[in-house]
C-alpha cells in the first residue's frame, strides 16, 4: 500500500564474497536506474506509486557478475495501516 515501508533483500553466497547491485525499472516511465550497491537490504521507508516496477538484484565480485533475479512490486492505494513488507529476490 502507498505509504508503507518496503524492505527488499538481496543476498548471495560466493567466494570471494560478493556485493549486490539493485536496479529499478519504473512501470510508469520505463526508465531504469541503479538504486543501491552497498547493502543486502534496500529499504523504501514510505513507498510511492511512482516507485512501482521491477527491482532486479545482481551479485558481483572480482570474478564477475552472478545471475540476476527480479521481482515486480505493485503499489496500491493509500496506507490503511502500518506493517513492514519483506521480500527476497528468488
Amino acid at each position: 500500500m502507498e505509504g508503507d515501508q518496503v524492505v527488499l533483500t538481496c543476498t548471495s553466497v560466493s567466494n570471494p564474497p560478493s556485493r549486490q547491485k539493485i536496479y529499478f525499472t519504473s512501470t510508469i516511465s520505463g526508465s531504469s536506474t541503479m538504486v543501491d550497491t552497498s547493502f543486502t537490504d534496500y529499504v523504501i521507508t514510505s513507498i510511492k506509486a511512482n516507485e512501482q516496477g521491477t527491482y532486479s538484484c545482481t551479485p558481483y565480485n572480482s570474478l564477475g557478475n552472478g545471475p540476476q533475479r527480479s521481482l515486480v512490486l505493485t503499489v496500491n492505494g493509500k496506507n490503511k495501516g502500518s506493517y513492514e513488507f519483506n521480500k527476497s529476490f528468488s
Side-chain angles (χ1 to χ4, degrees), residues 8-85:
L8 302 175
T9 303
C10 179
T11 60
S12 60
V13 177
S14 64
N15 189 10
S18 64
R19 296 182 62 166
Q20 286 70 232
K21 296 180 213 174
I22 298 177
Y23 295 92
F24 165 65
T25 303
S26 172
T27 301
I28 297 169
S29 70
S31 65
S32 184
T33 56
M34 185 166 51
V35 293
D36 189 70
T37 61
S38 304
F39 306 101
T40 58
D41 288 345
Y42 176 63
V43 179
I44 304 169
T45 56
S46 181
I47 190 109
K48 298 173 191 68
N50 66 348
E51 294 172 299
Q52 69 182 357
T54 301
Y55 288 82
S56 302
C57 170
T58 303
Y60 69 98
N61 60 21
S62 60
L63 301 177
N65 291 338
Q68 184 178 69
R69 301 286 187 245
S70 299
L71 62 87
V72 175
L73 181 64
T74 303
V75 178
N76 297 309
K78 288 285 184 188
N79 188 1
K80 302 262 190 294
S82 180
Y83 66 92
E84 183 174 303
F85 174 77

